[in-house]
Amino acid sequence: MKIVVLGAGRLAWHLVPALNAAGHEIEAIFNRSLSNALPIAEKVGAKTLNQLADLPQDADLYILAVQDSTIELIAQQLPALLKGRRVVHTSGATPARVLARHCSDYGVFYPLQSFSKEKELDFRKIPLCIDAKYSETKEVLRELARSISDLVYEINDDQRAELHVAAVFVNNFVNHFYGIGQDWLQQHQIPFEILHPLIQNTAEKILSARASDLQTGPAIRRDWETIKRHESQLEQIPEYLELYKMLTQSIIQTTEK
Amino acid sequence: MKIVVLGAGRLAWHLVPALNAAGHEIEAIFNRSLSNALPIAEKVGAKTLNQLADLPQDADLYILAVQDSTIELIAQQLPALLKGRRVVHTSGATPARVLARHCSDYGVFYPLQSFSKEKELDFRKIPLCIDAKYSETKEVLRELARSISDLVYEINDDQRAELHVAAVFVNNFVNHFYGIGQDWLQQHQIPFEILHPLIQNTAEKILSARASDLQTGPAIRRDWETIKRHESQLEQIPEYLELYKMLTQSIIQTTEK
């Protein structure tokens, strides 16, 4: 396929080479700032451009790999001719219908992963959630997704919205708790690496069991003595103490249901 | 070494075979209920007993692998002669000083991992935190720890208490969020496996970076539109909504420090 990618952020950084390696032609990369687009474009021999009016009109697919908040703005500003072409966004949090107002043949191509430029990712292990207005486009997106990943799911707007909420809990919020662990140990001059095996093991076990069957710790044991001791330790950081109390309460509630 | 283990729970289930495989003799396993002790004892050819008065008196080490709440009770009820022998507990949440009241040569042998009977664990990758009143005993525990694990740390009572708080955040609380993810997706008929790669990736990245550098999601982006949408989705489960609001607030605060 001949593809134009709009956006040059972390997703484009990983997606563009993966598409190229699967034999697709990345015709051009659009970005307001060309200096961000250039290093990605160079990897795959693509043109770069920073004016929407200059977008090639013959691509098979236009991928909006831009921030959620600018998806609709870009779709709106697409040259009239392109509004009839296949346009997809890549956002988990954004309904496809924001494209519907501006494009006729639209869809979603959402890789469910948290991307950072530093870490190499094997795209074949990244779930791709696809959806489209037309079933023909859905088929095209499915083929494209399969060419770069083994994990392809058809997920509609409603499901994707719920999926995104769950992703916030198991990724963003989990990472925040990792951060509290790092901060707490640093404050007490204890190396965080002591917790590495525990973190890995917790993340592995959830792949094959229910969290409720795996739950350990003072809350699930109703070990009030330990809970009280933890709370008094946490008094130095009221924010952590509040989180501790709330999570302890929530774990207890779960088992009372 | 000749070792007596008191307790036949999940920790003993993993620790006893690991000690045995490293060439130590498990002389006896004590447990109030013999039916729990037997399957562990059979693996290593140990005696079982359910009366503290029957404990062998010639072991080099007595390991209290019992619930936190019963450590002191057992220590108190040890036969007088044993109170002068080397006695350690295995708890991350309990100060060594609860043993000090009853034993003269005491210490801690704390494996920092969450054990379940189902999952096989490589003990060499489990951090062992040791401490003891006497430096000679500390040396003995260090040798013992090294015989079964590559990750041995000397951690005193205060550090271990702080470590345990951090472990609650990165393990117990993280597992609870995994559970919310599972529950939420089940309610919306979406397979949880879609989130597996994200969970694995999040847990891997934290091994080599600061959480604050890895944080993604609507909170860190101040993406209020997405946050509002998530909150309205979560209204069906007020408990989840409250957690969402609190974590979002906490992530925002972290970047304002």
Side-chain angles (χ1 to χ4, degrees):
Chain A
M1 285 178 69
K2 200 185 272 193
I3 299 171
V4 167
V5 173
L6 297 93
R10 291 175 297 184
L11 170 58
W13 182 266
H14 291 276
L15 179 61
V16 165
L19 289 169
N20 185 248
H24 305 288
E25 180 195 343
I26 310 301
E27 198 179 2
I29 297 177
F30 161 88
N31 201 58
R32 293 287 178 208
S33 144
L34 285 182
S35 63
N36 289 337
L38 267 169
I40 305 176
E42 273 171 9
K43 289 193 202 185
V44 300
K47 283 189 293 202
T48 57
L49 46 102
N50 63 359
Q51 297 295 323
L52 289 169
D54 298 339
L55 283 172
Q57 301 186 349
D58 63 340
D60 303 304
L61 182 68
Y62 296 80
I63 301 181
L64 303 189
V66 299
Q67 284 187 19
D68 292 8
S69 53
T70 57
I71 291 170
E72 184 159 10
L73 191 71
I74 301 264
Q76 186 182 6
Q77 295 176 352
L78 284 176
L81 207 65
L82 294 189
K83 293 186 175 182
R85 312 304 300 268
R86 264 183 200 129
V87 179
V88 295
H89 75 59
T90 55
S91 163
T94 310
R97 62 175 174 274
V98 307
L99 296 178
R101 290 172 210 144
H102 313 287
C103 307
S104 55
D105 184 358
Y106 59 87
V108 178
F109 191 83
Y110 166 47
L112 206 169
Q113 189 52 275
S114 175
F115 295 93
S116 52
K117 281 195 181 166
E118 296 71 32
K119 188 164 188 277
E120 282 296 313
L121 282 169
D122 176 5
F123 232 95
R124 297 224 71 83
K125 303 274 169 283
I126 297 180
L128 286 172
C129 304
I130 59 153
D131 194 22
K133 181 184 179 194
Y134 297 119
S135 57
E136 199 192 320
T137 298
K138 221 179 268 183
E139 232 10 85
V140 168
L141 293 179
R142 195 193 309 277
E143 279 304 301
L144 180 69
R146 281 190 183 147
S147 75
I148 59 171
S149 170
D150 298 326
L151 310 169
V152 179
Y153 300 88
E154 192 182 324
I155 295 284
N156 66 30
D157 267 8
D158 288 344
Q159 291 174 310
R160 205 171 56 258
E162 307 301 357
L163 191 54
H164 196 252
V165 166
V168 167
F169 275 90
V170 307
N171 171 30
N172 304 151
F173 291 173
V174 161
N175 184 66
H176 187 59
F177 279 169
Y178 291 160
I180 290 177
Q182 286 182 328
D183 180 48
W184 188 257
L185 291 196
Q186 191 175 12
Q187 288 191 36
H188 296 93
Q189 285 97 46
I190 302 165
F192 183 65
E193 60 177 42
I194 304 190
L195 291 180
H196 286 182
L198 183 66
I199 288 172
Q200 293 308 299
N201 194 248
T202 306
E204 267 169 38
K205 283 197 284 194
I206 199 66
L207 306 187
S208 57
R210 303 285 309 164
S212 49
D213 295 329
L214 300 172
Q215 193 67 50
T216 56
I220 196 89
R221 287 199 309 269
R222 314 291 198 269
D223 176 353
W224 299 111
E225 201 182 323
T226 301
I227 292 170
K228 288 273 171 304
R229 197 166 41 227
H230 286 170
E231 287 178 356
S232 84
Q233 292 170 248
L234 286 162
E235 266 168 15
Q236 21 172 322
I237 306 186
E239 183 195 339
Y240 293 174
L241 175 60
E242 228 188 316
L243 286 167
Y244 184 94
K245 284 181 173 172
M246 192 159 191
L247 267 291
T248 295
Q249 193 50 43
S250 181
I251 290 170
I252 289 171
Q253 270 176 35
T254 304
T255 55
E256 279 169 355
K257 270 174 198 163
Chain B
M1 284 177 71
K2 200 186 272 191
I3 299 171
V4 167
V5 173
L6 297 92
R10 290 175 297 185
L11 170 57
W13 181 267
H14 290 276
L15 179 60
V16 165
L19 290 169
N20 185 246
H24 304 289
E25 180 195 342
I26 310 299
E27 199 180 0
I29 297 176
F30 162 88
N31 202 57
R32 294 287 178 209
S33 141
L34 286 181
S35 63
N36 289 337
L38 267 168
I40 306 177
E42 272 171 9
K43 289 194 201 182
V44 301
K47 283 187 292 201
T48 58
L49 46 102
N50 63 359
Q51 298 296 322
L52 289 169
D54 298 338
L55 283 172
Q57 302 186 349
D58 63 339
D60 302 306
L61 183 67
Y62 297 79
I63 300 180
L64 304 188
V66 298
Q67 284 189 17
D68 293 7
S69 53
T70 56
I71 291 171
E72 184 161 10
L73 191 71
I74 301 262
Q76 188 182 3
Q77 295 176 352
L78 284 176
L81 205 66
L82 294 188
K83 293 187 175 183
R85 312 304 300 268
R86 263 181 200 131
V87 179
V88 295
H89 76 57
T90 55
S91 163
T94 311
R97 62 175 175 275
V98 307
L99 296 178
R101 289 172 210 145
H102 312 287
C103 307
S104 54
D105 184 359
Y106 60 87
V108 177
F109 191 83
Y110 166 47
L112 206 169
Q113 189 51 275
S114 176
F115 296 93
S116 52
K117 283 197 180 164
E118 296 72 32
K119 188 164 187 277
E120 282 295 314
L121 282 168
D122 177 4
F123 233 97
R124 298 224 69 85
K125 304 272 169 283
I126 297 180
L128 286 172
C129 304
I130 59 155
D131 194 22
K133 181 184 178 195
Y134 297 119
S135 57
E136 200 193 319
T137 298
K138 221 178 268 182
E139 231 12 82
V140 167
L141 293 179
R142 195 192 309 277
E143 278 305 299
L144 180 69
R146 281 189 183 147
S147 74
I148 59 171
S149 170
D150 299 328
L151 310 169
V152 180
Y153 299 89
E154 193 182 323
I155 295 284
N156 66 29
D157 268 8
D158 288 344
Q159 291 174 312
R160 205 171 56 259
E162 308 301 357
L163 191 53
H164 196 252
V165 166
V168 167
F169 275 91
V170 306
N171 170 30
N172 304 149
F173 292 173
V174 161
N175 184 67
H176 187 60
F177 280 169
Y178 291 160
I180 290 177
Q182 286 182 328
D183 180 49
W184 188 257
L185 290 196
Q186 191 176 11
Q187 288 190 36
H188 297 93
Q189 285 98 45
I190 302 165
F192 183 65
E193 60 176 43
I194 305 190
L195 291 180
H196 285 182
L198 183 65
I199 287 173
Q200 293 306 299
N201 195 247
T202 306
E204 267 169 38
K205 283 197 284 195
I206 200 65
L207 305 188
S208 57
R210 302 285 309 165
S212 49
D213 295 330
L214 300 171
Q215 193 67 51
T216 57
I220 196 88
R221 287 199 309 270
R222 313 293 198 267
D223 177 352
W224 299 111
E225 201 181 322
T226 300
I227 292 169
K228 287 272 172 304
R229 196 165 43 226
H230 285 171
E231 287 178 354
S232 84
Q233 291 170 250
L234 286 163
E235 265 167 16
Q236 19 172 327
I237 307 187
E239 184 195 337
Y240 294 174
L241 175 60
E242 227 187 315
L243 286 167
Y244 184 95
K245 284 182 173 173
M246 191 158 190
L247 267 291
T248 295
Q249 193 50 42
S250 181
I251 290 169
I252 290 171
Q253 270 177 34
T254 303
T255 56
E256 279 170 356
K257 270 172 200 166

